[in-house]
């Protein structure tokens, strides 16, 4: 069965960066895109972007350009999202999700809580 | 960005009864290919969201047929017949027609 295993919770200082991972199993990694979604109590679910796991091509929500950088390592079936120049507004749960080109969010990881605090 | 507006914010249902959740989009989600790009997700307490319905009316794999989706170009409905305890959680609609993909604020379903 499809599984997406995300890395552990992060506590980061303002101005720093974090890189969270999403390891896929149970399917051919390059068959599905990997997307990233931010969840906060105030803003709900926000789409960050997706990466084409085969070509490495990316699609970002304009709001997250410059904030999030999506990459993949096909050899380990793992996708990564780096968040830079962190502020308290970046504190949230971040999910990865895999899916086809017109569904994107078929399967979800367990989420990673990122807390930005001095 | 396309705005997705859900109603009601919360609904309380007697087990065995049916429930309907509405979602309205700020523009048509009907593509020229005939597909309507609206999706429904359920986030159970303490869990990640899961896909329930894709492209307005298609049931995702493993989802009970008590769930159904319908709608027009801008108005959509998720219906749950014979609500069970396992259906408790927050339901989100979402659109994948345009970047950025956007979600509704969610509808919380509770049992009476």
């Amino acid at each position: 069965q499809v599984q997406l295993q995300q890395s552990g919770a992060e506590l980061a200082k303002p101005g720093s960066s974090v890189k969270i991972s999403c390891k896929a199993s149970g399917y051919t990694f390059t068959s599905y895109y990997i997307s990233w979604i931010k969840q906060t109590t105030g803003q709900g679910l926000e789409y960050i972007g997706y990466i084409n796991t085969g070509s490495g091509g990316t699609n970002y929500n304009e709001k997250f350009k410059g904030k999030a950088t999506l990459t993949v390592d096909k050899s380990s079936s793992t996708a990564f999202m780096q968040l830079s120049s962190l502020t308290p507004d970046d504190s949230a749960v971040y999910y990865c999700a895999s899916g086809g080109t017109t569904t994107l969010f078929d399967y979800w990881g367990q989420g990673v809580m990122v807390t930005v605090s001095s | 960005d396309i705005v997705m507006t859900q109603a009601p914010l919360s609904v309380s249902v007697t087990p065995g009864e049916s429930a309907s959740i509405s979602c309205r989009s700020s523009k048509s989600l009907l593509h020229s290919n005939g597909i309507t790009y609206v999706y429904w997700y359920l986030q159970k307490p303490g869990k990640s969201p899961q896909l329930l319905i894709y492209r307005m009316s298609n049931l995702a794999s493993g989802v009970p047929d008590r769930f159904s989706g319908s709608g027009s170009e801008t108005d959509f409905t998720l219906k749950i017949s014979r609500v069970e305890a396992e259906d408790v959680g927050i339901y989100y609609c979402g659109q994948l027609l345009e970047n950025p993909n956007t979600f509704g604020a969610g509808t919380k379903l509770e049992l009476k």
Side-chain angles (χ1 to χ4, degrees):
Chain A
Q1 71 281 23
V2 174
Q3 289 192 329
L4 299 173
Q5 183 64 39
Q6 297 185 238
S7 47
E10 299 271 3
L11 174 61
K13 297 239 188 286
S16 68
S17 299
V18 295
K19 189 172 186 178
I20 59 182
S21 66
C22 172
K23 182 172 176 57
S25 62
Y27 70 98
T28 301
F29 182 63
T30 53
S31 295
Y32 287 151
Y33 290 2
I34 295 282
S35 300
W36 293 86
I37 302 98
K38 177 183 181 182
Q39 185 171 36
T40 58
T41 304
Q43 296 296 318
L45 296 169
E46 291 185 277
Y47 167 74
I48 296 171
Y50 72 72
I51 187 163
N52 180 325
T53 51
S55 68
T58 53
N59 171 282
Y60 289 96
N61 180 342
E62 283 289 330
K63 178 178 178 179
F64 292 94
K65 283 186 177 179
K67 171 61 65 178
T69 303
L70 308 183
T71 56
V72 290
D73 175 8
K74 287 191 279 189
S75 68
S76 64
S77 299
T78 303
F80 301 91
M81 178 175 68
Q82 178 161 318
L83 298 170
S84 60
S85 303
L86 292 169
T87 72
D89 287 343
D90 296 317
S91 296
V93 175
Y94 292 87
Y95 293 99
C96 65
S98 68
T101 56
T102 61
T103 51
L104 289 185
F105 315 129
D106 299 50
Y107 307 98
W108 295 63
Q110 83 275 20
V112 174
M113 180 167 289
V114 174
T115 304
V116 182
S117 174
S118 54
Chain B
D1 297 0
I2 296 176
V3 177
M4 305 294 284
T5 304
Q6 289 185 234
L9 290 181
S10 66
V11 61
S12 184
V13 185
T14 301
E17 299 293 308
S18 66
S20 289
I21 298 170
S22 296
C23 176
R24 177 169 291 176
S25 57
S26 60
K27 68 174 285 186
S28 172
L29 299 184
L30 175 62
H31 192 277
S32 57
N33 63 9
I35 296 173
T36 304
Y37 287 92
V38 66
Y39 300 71
W40 290 95
Y41 306 88
L42 164 60
Q43 186 170 29
K44 297 183 179 181
K47 301 293 186 182
S48 306
Q50 63 183 93
L51 178 65
L52 295 175
I53 301 287
Y54 62 97
R55 295 184 215 125
M56 192 168 72
S57 59
N58 297 278
L59 207 60
S61 176
V63 175
D65 60 7
R66 300 182 289 101
F67 291 87
S68 63
S70 63
S72 62
E73 296 186 23
T74 58
D75 289 275
F76 312 101
T77 302
L78 175 71
K79 183 174 180 180
I80 313 163
S81 57
R82 305 182 306 281
V83 168
E84 299 183 3
E86 67 177 20
D87 301 335
V88 165
I90 302 175
Y91 290 80
Y92 296 95
C93 61
Q95 66 81 20
L96 271 68
L97 180 70
E98 287 184 0
N99 187 33
N101 303 312
T102 49
F103 299 89
T107 295
K108 187 173 186 178
L109 185 143
E110 299 173 315
L111 297 183
K112 283 183 181 173

